[in-house]
């Protein structure tokens, strides 16, 4: 779906959308027409964010679809919700071109936020649906924002880049594991070089030479070869020497390995690379809007399978950091991938700030459900920045505690560390594991987004399926704290 901006309603528009705030003032009767507003009132439409009222009228001898769209208080969140409702209402309705008018003054940024909601909610994957009924096929091709505000184009350009980043993340997460695996994940991201992103790829032999025994231990049961994908965006022209680094868990399919998962629901494990997907999408968003920041995104990409050569419970592996790990449970594999990816990131880029994202623990879903991502950090300032960015962006986080008492739970009797602790505090002990691989002086945060990357029902700006969680959060953090 294309978003355009025009000072007047295009003659090709077959649908007129009138964006109206909550508790409509009577003076708006002229804007929508007395009959339309009377019908809306009878249908109890009151302008609540995301609410709609639809009718038809004749204009110039042609039938015009008219939709009243509630924008609530006019806040950014309400405008995005309204845009999402617009797409949900019209995407498969038969409408092809909707023009959105704003009788009540809306800023350029506000109009762009409405467009962002519409663009995000319109994303869907029909690639493998060969018998989709005609009435279920998308028809909406264009949404035009009718505004004379000269800043609307610039405001939308930034939001459009963000939407493109979210779309890449959703695409990577939604694809089945026979399509997206470590090597194809890398190839799917190659186009980012066209935006000015420098791409580096490590293959299995290079990782072995570096001593990445933890990551390679996870990968050894699969015929799909592991990869490290690093993407560097420097929008500062070299002025900022030290990048902020994002590291994503990219387990493209997780059977659990020898500690195999139950069959029911295992198909969902194609999205166990949601952290890596968010990192790739964030880099696309930053480059697309030419962010004046220096950022590196790193994806640790593996497939976890129960082959005859697979890692066994009880095995001891040596990580790139030199620390030895007793593998108690092969289904606690994400932290094994992350620890080597983080060590490589620190040795290669020497970051002052490092943030990892991972669909790491089922315990996080038990704790927070699908309402917040979990946040763990060794720095209060960074944690506060992330919490703030979460609130602003709509990708919310909730902070969890860390302490030496939790850390002791993952001491191993035969190695430096074991990869799981007791049943209790599973998300916290996972974070404590990762923290052991963070260098002294590095400000670090771990985001456990296990409950956030996939939705079983539609939301205001996503349909069922991949949500793209994390891209908006990291883009907002970069905008708030790392752009010059």
């Amino acid at each position: 779906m294309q978003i355009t901006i025009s000072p007047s309603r295009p003659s090709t528009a077959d649908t007129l959308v009138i964006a109206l705030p909550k508790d409509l003032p009577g003076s708006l009767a002229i804007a929508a027409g007395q009959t339309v507003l009377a019908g809306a009132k009878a249908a109890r439409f009151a302008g609540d964010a995301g609410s709609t009222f639809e009718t038809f009228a004749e204009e110039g001898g042609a039938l015009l679809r008219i939709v009243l769209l509630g924008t609530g208080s006019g806040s950014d969140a309400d405008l995005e919700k309204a845009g999402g409702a617009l797409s949900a209402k019209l995407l498969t309705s038969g409408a092809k071109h909707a023009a959105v008018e704003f009788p009540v003054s809306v800023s350029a940024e506000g109009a762009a936020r409405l467009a962002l909601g519409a663009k995000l909610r319109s994303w869907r994957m029909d690639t493998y649906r060969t018998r989709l009924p005609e009435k279920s096929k998308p028809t909406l091709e264009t949404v035009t924002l009718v505004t004379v505000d000269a800043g609307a184009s610039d405001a939308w350009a930034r939001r459009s880049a963000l939407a493109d980043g979210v779309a890449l993340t959703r695409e990577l997460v939604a694809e089945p594991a026979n399509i997206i695996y470590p090597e194809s994940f890398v190839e799917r991201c190659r186009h980012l070089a066209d935006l000015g992103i420098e791409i580096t790829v490590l293959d299995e032999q290079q990782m072995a030479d570096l001593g990445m025994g933890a990551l390679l231990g996870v990968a050894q049961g699969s015929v799909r070869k592991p990869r490290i994908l690093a993407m560097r965006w420097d929008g500062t022209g070299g002025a900022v020497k030290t990048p902020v680094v994002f590291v994503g868990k990219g387990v493209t399919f997780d059977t659990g390995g020898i500690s195999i998962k139950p069959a029911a629901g295992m198909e969902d494990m194609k999205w166990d690379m949601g952290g890596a997907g968010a990192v790739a999408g964030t880099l696309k968003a930053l480059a697309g809007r030419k962010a004046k920041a220096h950022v590196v995104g790193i994806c640790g990409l593996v497939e976890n399978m129960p082959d005859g050569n697979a890692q066994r419970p009880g095995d001891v592996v040596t990580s790139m950091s030199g620390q030895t790990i007793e593998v108690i449970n092969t289904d606690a594999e994400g932290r094994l991938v992350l620890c080597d990816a983080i060590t490589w990131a620190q040795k290669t880029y020497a970051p002052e700030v490092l943030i990892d994202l991972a669909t790491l623990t089922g315990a996080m879903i038990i704790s927070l459900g699908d309402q917040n991502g979990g946040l763990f950090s060794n720095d209060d300032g960074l944690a506060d920045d992330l919490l703030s960015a979460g609130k602003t962006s709509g990708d919310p986080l909730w902070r969890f505690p860390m302490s030496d008492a939790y850390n002791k739970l993952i001491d191993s009797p035969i190695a430096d560390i074991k990869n799981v602790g007791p049943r209790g505090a599973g998300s916290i002990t996972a974070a404590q594991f990762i923290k052991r691989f963070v260098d002294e002086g590095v400000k670090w945060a771990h985001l456990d987004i296990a409950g956030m990357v996939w939705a079983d029902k539609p939301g205001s700006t996503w349909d069922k399926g991949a949500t793209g969680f994390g891209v908006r959060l990291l883009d907002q953090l970069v905008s708030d704290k790392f752009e010059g």
Side-chain angles (χ1 to χ4, degrees):
M1 187 182 75
Q2 181 183 14
I3 304 292
T4 64
I5 297 171
S6 173
S8 59
R9 187 188 352 151
S11 60
T12 55
D14 56 21
T15 301
L16 170 62
V17 179
I18 304 175
L20 297 171
K22 186 173 174 62
D23 300 325
L24 317 177
S27 60
L28 293 180
I30 298 174
Q34 290 281 8
T35 302
V36 173
L37 281 188
K41 184 176 181 181
R44 297 185 175 181
F45 173 85
D48 294 300
S51 61
T52 60
F53 170 76
E54 180 183 31
T55 189
F56 291 85
E58 184 179 339
E59 184 181 74
L63 188 66
L64 179 69
R65 185 192 306 258
I66 299 174
V67 176
L68 303 189
L69 177 65
T71 58
S73 66
S75 66
D76 288 344
D78 280 358
L79 286 165
E80 279 189 22
K81 185 175 181 179
L86 169 62
S87 281
K89 180 75 175 178
L90 296 179
L91 191 62
T92 61
S93 68
K96 292 185 177 181
H97 186 174
V100 183
E101 296 186 352
F102 302 92
V104 175
S105 179
V106 173
S107 67
E109 179 62 24
R113 293 295 284 254
L114 186 145
L116 175 62
K119 184 73 171 179
L120 291 175
R121 185 62 178 80
S122 71
W123 188 91
R124 50 189 274 167
M125 177 175 279
D126 293 328
T127 308
Y128 307 107
R129 305 183 70 179
T130 64
R131 298 184 179 183
L132 193 64
E134 195 65 30
K135 67 180 181 180
S136 298
K137 294 179 181 179
T139 59
L140 188 62
E141 299 171 352
T142 306
V143 171
T144 297
L145 306 178
V146 181
T147 176
V148 296
D149 192 323
S153 293
D154 288 342
W156 171 240
R158 175 189 173 95
R159 298 298 171 186
S160 178
L162 181 58
D164 289 342
V166 172
L168 174 60
T169 298
R170 289 176 175 176
E171 173 190 328
L172 291 167
V173 171
E175 287 279 20
N178 63 319
I179 302 298
I180 290 295
Y181 44 89
E183 292 168 288
S184 62
F185 185 109
V186 170
E187 294 309 308
R188 196 68 70 95
C189 294
R190 289 283 187 189
H191 72 282
L192 299 180
D194 297 336
L195 297 175
I197 291 175
E198 174 190 313
I199 292 179
T200 301
V201 181
L202 301 185
D203 63 21
E204 186 178 23
Q205 186 57 55
Q206 289 170 303
M207 287 186 272
D209 292 343
L210 289 165
M212 294 188 182
L215 184 152
L216 293 174
V218 176
Q220 71 188 43
S222 176
V223 297
R224 304 294 193 186
K225 300 304 181 183
R227 293 290 184 267
I228 290 281
L229 169 64
M231 301 159 285
R232 182 205 290 263
W233 165 255
D234 187 357
T236 72
V240 176
K241 302 301 182 185
T242 303
V244 57
V245 172
F246 303 138
V247 180
K249 171 191 171 184
V251 179
T252 56
F253 193 77
D254 181 22
T255 65
I258 298 299
S259 306
I260 196 165
K261 296 175 180 291
M266 193 192 290
E267 68 277 6
D268 288 344
M269 287 298 95
K270 68 178 184 177
W271 52 250
D272 207 19
M273 36 60 66
V279 169
T282 297
L283 268 291
K284 182 168 186 174
L286 295 175
R289 66 175 179 84
K290 301 187 184 305
K292 294 180 173 60
H294 188 184
V295 179
V296 170
I298 296 168
C299 302
L301 303 167
V302 301
E303 186 178 63
N304 188 23
M305 299 291 283
D307 178 76
N309 191 49
Q311 184 167 250
R312 296 158 291 265
D315 283 1
V316 174
V317 296
T318 302
S319 68
M320 183 181 173
S321 72
Q323 296 180 76
T324 56
I325 304 165
E326 182 187 11
V327 180
I328 302 297
N329 188 326
T330 64
D331 193 25
E333 84 297 330
R335 65 204 71 181
L336 300 176
V337 173
L338 286 173
C339 72
D340 276 346
I342 286 171
T343 298
W344 183 76
Q346 292 171 132
K347 290 184 180 296
T348 305
Y349 300 103
E352 296 174 1
V353 175
L354 186 150
I355 300 168
D356 75 77
L357 298 89
T359 51
L360 204 66
T361 64
M364 184 53 60
I365 301 176
I366 301 301
S367 296
L368 296 178
D370 60 359
Q371 296 301 304
N372 293 270
L375 164 63
F376 305 80
S377 183
N378 64 0
D379 185 85
D380 290 342
L382 177 59
D384 289 344
D385 291 342
L386 280 161
L387 289 170
S388 176
K391 290 179 181 178
T392 302
S393 67
D395 282 354
L397 300 171
W398 190 270
R399 191 178 183 186
F400 282 74
M402 302 183 74
S403 72
D404 287 341
Y406 292 116
N407 191 40
K408 291 176 182 177
L409 297 176
I410 51 173
D411 286 337
S412 166
I414 65 167
D416 295 326
I417 186 174
K418 57 184 178 181
N419 75 328
V420 293
R423 179 176 175 82
S427 298
I428 299 175
T429 53
Q432 293 285 174
F433 180 97
I434 297 169
K435 184 175 183 290
R436 291 202 187 189
F437 297 85
V438 177
D439 291 345
E440 188 73 27
V442 175
K443 295 180 180 179
W444 160 79
H446 161 61
L447 309 182
D448 191 336
I449 57 175
M452 307 303 292
V453 303
W454 194 263
D456 293 330
K457 58 184 179 181
S460 59
T461 55
W462 62 81
D463 203 344
K464 291 194 295 184
T467 66
F469 185 91
V471 176
R472 301 185 64 183
L473 168 71
L474 296 183
D475 176 80
Q476 188 68 50
L477 179 71
V478 169
S479 177
D480 290 345
K481 297 298 176 179
F482 298 106
E483 284 200 66

